[in-house]
């Protein structure tokens, strides 16, 4: 019994050491003049009616600025009993009812009321509860990729990409570093615009998960979470991130299913005064598609 307790203590100590090492590594790279206060948000989340844990993932260039619109909106669906994950992307131009603010693009909910108003907006329109949120500064994504993949993430770049990403990505199967991966997932200046960007974001997350799966990744997980932590505003405890991350990177869980909202044939693309081009979605059709996706 004593040996077992000592072993548990050693493992916990090693995990904490790795976590702190990752945190300090990132803090040393953050320009103190640009570092912003970690805003404390109210978030009244809970598990959904199916027993899943839903994590609201928001991507932003300006963590902590309450007026910044969310550049990426995703929901990670985690089923603890099965240890499985699904991923839903909500397109930022989806034109929906925002509680207390009328109809607007959904990404403006974050600017108006932080992650809590985004949670309320998703609940009102799609009848799904969210338990956690994580606002990720995109520079944290860069640091995480470079730490986890010293040789880069293998991605099949489907076309030449260069406009507004401050680099040129040539087509073909290749390994991208953190900065290049950020350019890849943010590129949208082609014929399909945000639709292509959402598809690439999901493709990138799948590639990261597939290429990090296995026991070696589990042992590196505390440091990876530490590297990301200074760039993330979240209501998740570190222990929750470790527990969920362990299942996310397990190589026994199969492929990760994905969904995009709006689904096909469920929206129009009008121009609205004061909003510009929007995705005017059939809320009921998309709500049904989301619920079916979660329970199947």
């Amino acid at each position: 019994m004593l040996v077992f307790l000592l072993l548990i203590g050693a493992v916990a100590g090693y995990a904490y050491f790795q976590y702190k090492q990752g945190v300090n590594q990132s803090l040393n790279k953050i320009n103190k003049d640009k570092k912003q206060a970690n805003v404390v948000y109210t978030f009244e989340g809970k598990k959904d009616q199916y027993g899943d844990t839903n994590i609201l993932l928001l991507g932003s260039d300006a963590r902590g600025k309450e007026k910044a619109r969310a550049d990426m909106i995703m929901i990670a669906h985690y089923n603890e009993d099965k240890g499985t994950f699904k991923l839903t992307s909500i397109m930022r131009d989806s034109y929906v009812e925002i509680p207390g603010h009328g109809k607007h693009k959904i990404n403006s909910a974050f600017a108006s009321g932080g992650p809590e108003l985004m949670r309320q907006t998703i609940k009102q329109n799609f009848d799904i509860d969210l338990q956690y949120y994580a606002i990720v500064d995109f520079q944290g994504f860069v640091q995480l990729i470079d730490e986890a993949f010293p040789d880069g993430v293998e991605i099949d770049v489907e076309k030449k990409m260069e406009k507004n990403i401050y680099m040129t990505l040539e087509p073909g199967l290749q390994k991208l570093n953190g900065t290049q991966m950020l350019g890849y997932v943010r590129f949208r200046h082609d014929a399909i615009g945000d639709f292509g960007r959402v598809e690439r974001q999901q493709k990138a997350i799948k590639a990261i998960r597939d290429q990090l799966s296995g026991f070696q990744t589990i042992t590196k997980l505390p440091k990876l979470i530490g590297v990301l932590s200074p760039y993330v505003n979240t209501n998740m405890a570190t222990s929750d991130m470790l527990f969920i991350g362990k299942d996310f990177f397990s190589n026994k869980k199969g492929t990760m299913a994905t969904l995009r909202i709006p689904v096909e044939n469920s929206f129009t693309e009008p121009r609205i005064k004061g909003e510009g081009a929007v995705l005017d979605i059939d809320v009921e059709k998309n709500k049904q598609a989301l619920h079916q996706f979660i329970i199947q």
Side-chain angles (χ1 to χ4, degrees):
M1 183 63 176
L2 179 60
V3 173
F4 177 73
L5 292 175
L6 289 173
L7 181 61
I8 293 296
V11 170
Y14 174 78
Y16 180 75
F17 172 78
Q18 289 291 307
Y19 170 77
K20 292 299 292 184
Q21 188 179 52
V23 170
N24 292 331
Q25 181 176 307
S26 285
L27 289 176
N28 289 335
K29 293 182 180 179
I30 295 176
N31 186 324
K32 293 183 180 179
D33 294 332
K34 294 182 180 180
K35 188 178 177 184
Q36 301 173 52
N38 205 24
V39 177
V40 177
Y41 291 106
T42 297
F43 195 78
E44 299 179 6
K46 61 182 180 180
K47 286 189 175 183
D48 68 24
Q49 58 266 55
Y50 307 114
D52 281 8
T53 294
N54 295 313
I55 306 166
L56 174 64
L57 303 175
L58 301 171
S60 171
D61 268 338
R63 177 178 58 85
K65 287 187 177 180
E66 293 186 78
K67 294 301 180 183
R69 291 196 176 202
D71 198 54
M72 177 193 76
I73 306 167
M74 291 184 171
I75 305 171
H77 312 277
Y78 171 59
N79 186 296
E80 183 177 343
D81 293 336
K82 298 177 182 177
T84 56
F85 288 83
K86 295 177 181 179
L87 187 68
T88 297
S89 294
I90 303 177
M91 295 189 68
R92 63 182 189 168
D93 290 343
S94 299
Y95 193 56
V96 298
E97 191 72 32
I98 297 176
H101 296 267
K103 290 195 75 170
H104 295 281
K105 293 180 180 181
I106 194 170
N107 68 335
S108 69
F110 177 63
S112 298
E116 171 60 14
L117 185 57
M118 183 68 80
R119 182 197 69 78
Q120 293 175 20
T121 300
I122 292 172
K123 173 64 175 177
Q124 176 169 315
N125 288 276
F126 306 112
D127 193 27
I128 286 293
D129 286 302
L130 309 172
Q131 186 170 3
Y132 299 114
Y133 76 88
I135 307 166
V136 184
D137 186 301
F138 282 124
Q139 285 306 307
F141 174 81
V142 172
Q143 298 302 325
L144 179 66
I145 294 299
D146 287 342
E147 176 65 31
F149 298 92
D151 298 322
V153 180
E154 188 171 82
I155 285 284
D156 187 4
V157 179
E158 59 269 25
K159 65 184 74 176
K160 185 174 182 178
M161 302 176 188
E162 56 184 346
K163 188 174 181 180
N164 287 359
I165 60 171
Y166 311 106
M167 69 188 74
T168 298
L169 298 177
E170 298 293 344
L173 186 64
Q174 56 199 283
K175 289 189 175 182
L176 303 184
N177 63 27
T179 300
Q180 292 168 326
M181 279 291 289
L182 181 60
Y184 177 76
V185 300
R186 300 199 71 189
F187 177 76
R188 65 185 180 94
H189 291 278
D190 59 7
I192 56 176
D194 264 350
F195 288 92
R197 178 164 66 169
V198 165
E199 184 177 327
R200 281 186 289 276
Q201 289 171 352
Q202 293 184 342
K203 177 180 172 182
I205 290 176
K206 285 182 177 181
I208 292 166
R209 180 180 187 248
D210 291 346
Q211 293 173 44
L212 272 180
S213 291
F215 177 75
Q216 286 186 328
T217 296
I218 301 303
T219 61
K220 292 168 60 177
L221 194 57
K223 185 175 183 181
L224 294 178
I225 291 176
V227 166
L228 189 59
S229 289
Y231 298 95
V232 176
N233 183 316
T234 182
N235 64 335
M236 294 182 70
T238 301
S239 57
D240 292 328
M241 288 189 278
L242 285 168
F243 179 80
I244 294 174
K246 170 181 63 65
D247 276 349
F248 182 76
F249 290 118
S250 169
N251 59 1
K252 299 178 181 179
K253 306 303 180 184
T255 58
M256 181 173 62
T258 58
L259 178 71
R260 186 204 71 208
I261 288 179
V263 296
E264 293 295 334
N265 303 314
S266 71
F267 63 94
T268 57
E269 300 182 69
R271 296 191 69 86
I272 304 293
K273 186 176 180 180
E275 296 279 352
V278 304
L279 299 175
D280 194 10
I281 72 172
D282 181 330
V283 171
E284 187 61 31
K285 187 171 185 177
N286 280 280
K287 178 171 69 175
Q288 291 177 7
L290 177 59
H291 284 249
Q292 185 61 36
F293 175 69
I294 293 173
I295 65 176
Q296 65 187 8

